Amino acid sequence: MLSIIICSKYSTLNPAFVQNISETVGTDYEIVHIDNSQQRYNIFEAYNIGVGQAKGDKLCLMHEDIVFHSNGWGKVVERYLSDDKVGALGVAGGHVITDRLDWRFYGFGKMYLIQGTTTIEESPQYYTFYRPITDGSEEAIIQVAAIDGVWMCFRKDIFQEIHFDDHTFHDFHLYDSDISMQVNMTGHGVYITSEILLEHQSEGTFTDGYREALKAFAEKWKGKFPVIKGIEVTQQQIDEALNNAQSYFDSRLRHDAVVIGLRQLFAKRRKGLPTREYTAEEIKLMDESLYQCCRISFKYKQLSFRESLKLLRHYLQIPFAQRKALLTRKFIWYRLLR
């Protein structure tokens, strides 16, 4: 049986989410819901509780903001995890782990999922603009060094050798990279598959706690880096990628700090609490977010003319919108003249 473990910020799971699992999993399963609505646990603690409660011999730990597009994905999980060489299975991951930055920032990775985007505004809009690029030549399963925590599966018996390290880490960062390192050290492999397609409905944010988690991660696994799986790459190539990634990492943390501040402001406004005015930086970020999503949607041919016009009208009605004339010209060019 497949045990689906979900750490939720709500006391009950979204019925549509539960129904989507039921309609697509295609095998015997149970849902292990870890209620974290009171923020009692960090992700390491929550997942350890879930593993302890799970009755199945195969485990699937996932975010609650995903949608499965593949039918029978549970059977795919069971088939791959029945192979002793497979210790962990995901749909996104990185081929290289170092002690400097998380693999998401310097590349050498692969993603088999639909990544959604939510605009940063008080009434956010949700979009998906692209699907994974597969031309039929992709292998159904490839080895990586680490998998992304959006969706990751394990054989339960491997947890006799590994666990989510709630002593070293105390937040919601690097749980997937650390557990992947542990799997690699057991001699089993970490893999991702293109046979399962799911949609992730948020991009997440990184806090300053990420820097502390990176330091703890580097200290814990000192002497084990780099871990390279599934590709051939030189140390020079890794160093070049890391140098290029550092500025992106720093800018992402600054960006996400503004996003987190905005979300806290929106939450207060929804509750009717007194709030401050937007800062110039926040206005710029909201405008950029919505403008870019609208611009991309105009170019995205799978989105209907009516839907793209609706997005334009939405943008034109936003008080903070700074590029109304420019976006209108973009709409005319991509939707009327081309």
Side-chain angles (χ1 to χ4, degrees):
M1 182 173 69
L2 183 65
S3 292
I4 299 172
I5 301 171
I6 304 162
C7 175
S8 175
K9 60 182 178 181
Y10 303 107
S11 57
T12 59
L13 295 175
N14 186 330
F17 176 47
V18 175
Q19 182 178 359
N20 174 249
I21 293 173
S22 174
E23 291 176 348
T24 60
V25 63
T27 191
D28 292 336
Y29 74 98
E30 64 168 352
I31 292 180
V32 180
H33 172 212
I34 307 302
D35 177 1
N36 203 22
S37 57
Q38 303 301 313
Q39 299 181 338
R40 295 170 56 193
Y41 315 113
N42 63 45
I43 193 65
F44 298 86
E45 294 168 331
Y47 276 164
N48 280 331
I49 292 171
V51 171
Q53 293 179 359
K55 300 175 182 176
D57 59 342
K58 308 290 191 302
L59 310 178
C60 187
L61 295 79
M62 66 176 73
H63 290 191
E64 60 185 327
D65 60 343
I66 64 177
V67 178
F68 290 97
H69 291 274
S70 296
N71 290 320
W73 58 267
K75 291 185 179 296
V76 178
V77 171
E78 291 176 332
R79 170 161 49 88
Y80 281 127
L81 291 184
S82 296
D83 186 339
D84 189 57
K85 75 176 183 180
V86 181
L89 182 72
V91 291
H95 291 287
V96 180
I97 306 176
T98 76
D99 59 350
R100 283 179 52 188
L101 283 177
D102 190 49
W103 60 266
R104 294 167 184 80
F105 292 94
Y106 50 80
F108 304 119
K110 198 84 173 180
M111 181 174 72
Y112 295 119
L113 59 81
I114 305 167
Q115 180 60 60
T117 299
T118 303
T119 59
I120 307 163
E121 52 175 317
E122 198 155 2
S123 300
Q125 307 293 309
Y126 175 72
Y127 307 92
T128 56
F129 292 125
Y130 59 87
R131 292 178 181 271
I133 300 173
T134 55
D135 59 6
S137 63
E138 299 279 349
E139 294 184 45
I141 186 171
I142 59 175
Q143 189 171 13
V144 291
I147 51 176
D148 191 287
V150 64
W151 185 87
M152 50 187 187
C153 303
F154 308 87
R155 295 204 323 272
K156 188 176 183 181
D157 62 6
I158 203 173
F159 278 86
Q160 297 174 13
E161 302 177 66
I162 68 174
H163 74 289
F164 288 95
D165 188 356
D166 54 1
H167 296 288
T168 303
F169 303 95
H170 309 287
D171 206 333
F172 291 82
H173 299 309
L174 295 180
Y175 62 96
D176 44 9
S177 294
D178 182 71
I179 203 72
S180 295
M181 283 290 290
Q182 293 184 54
V183 172
N184 284 315
M185 297 305 148
T186 68
H188 300 285
V190 179
Y191 291 83
I192 61 174
T193 180
S194 60
E195 287 192 50
I196 297 170
L197 180 62
L198 58 86
E199 176 182 338
H200 186 206
Q201 296 184 307
S202 73
E203 293 182 288
T205 53
F206 297 92
T207 68
D208 281 337
Y210 209 79
R211 295 186 190 274
E212 296 305 314
L214 283 171
K215 292 178 182 178
F217 182 76
E219 182 61 29
K220 175 180 178 178
W221 296 106
K222 188 176 181 179
K224 302 294 185 182
F225 301 108
V227 177
I228 304 171
K229 301 288 184 179
I231 61 169
E232 294 183 3
V233 61
T234 66
Q235 186 62 51
Q236 180 180 354
Q237 290 173 313
I238 294 173
D239 291 340
E240 289 175 354
L242 285 167
N243 290 335
N244 293 331
Q246 186 65 54
S247 60
Y248 167 57
F249 174 70
D250 294 336
S251 65
R252 177 62 188 267
L253 285 188
R254 291 192 297 270
H255 171 277
D256 285 1
V258 180
V259 172
I260 292 168
L262 276 170
R263 288 177 179 168
Q264 293 170 346
L265 181 61
F266 299 156
K268 288 184 177 180
R269 289 186 174 175
R270 285 193 293 269
K271 294 177 181 178
L273 299 174
T275 57
R276 56 174 174 77
E277 295 297 320
Y278 295 125
T279 67
E281 187 176 22
E282 289 170 341
I283 291 174
K284 181 180 178 181
L285 183 60
M286 289 191 295
D287 177 58
E288 178 69 16
S289 171
L290 187 54
Y291 170 81
Q292 291 297 343
C293 278
C294 288
R295 183 185 62 82
I296 293 170
S297 73
F298 299 162
K299 299 170 65 175
Y300 188 60
K301 297 303 183 182
Q302 294 185 37
L303 198 70
S304 70
F305 177 89
R306 179 177 295 181
E307 287 296 317
S308 62
L309 179 60
K310 181 179 177 182
L311 293 175
L312 174 64
R313 287 173 173 167
H314 174 72
Y315 182 81
L316 296 180
Q317 293 169 0
I318 296 293
F320 61 73
Q322 303 294 308
R323 290 181 279 185
K324 297 181 180 181
L326 179 59
L327 193 65
T328 300
R329 291 196 296 270
K330 293 284 186 183
F331 177 82
I332 293 172
W333 172 248
Y334 285 111
R335 287 292 170 166
L336 296 177
L337 299 181
R338 296 188 69 178

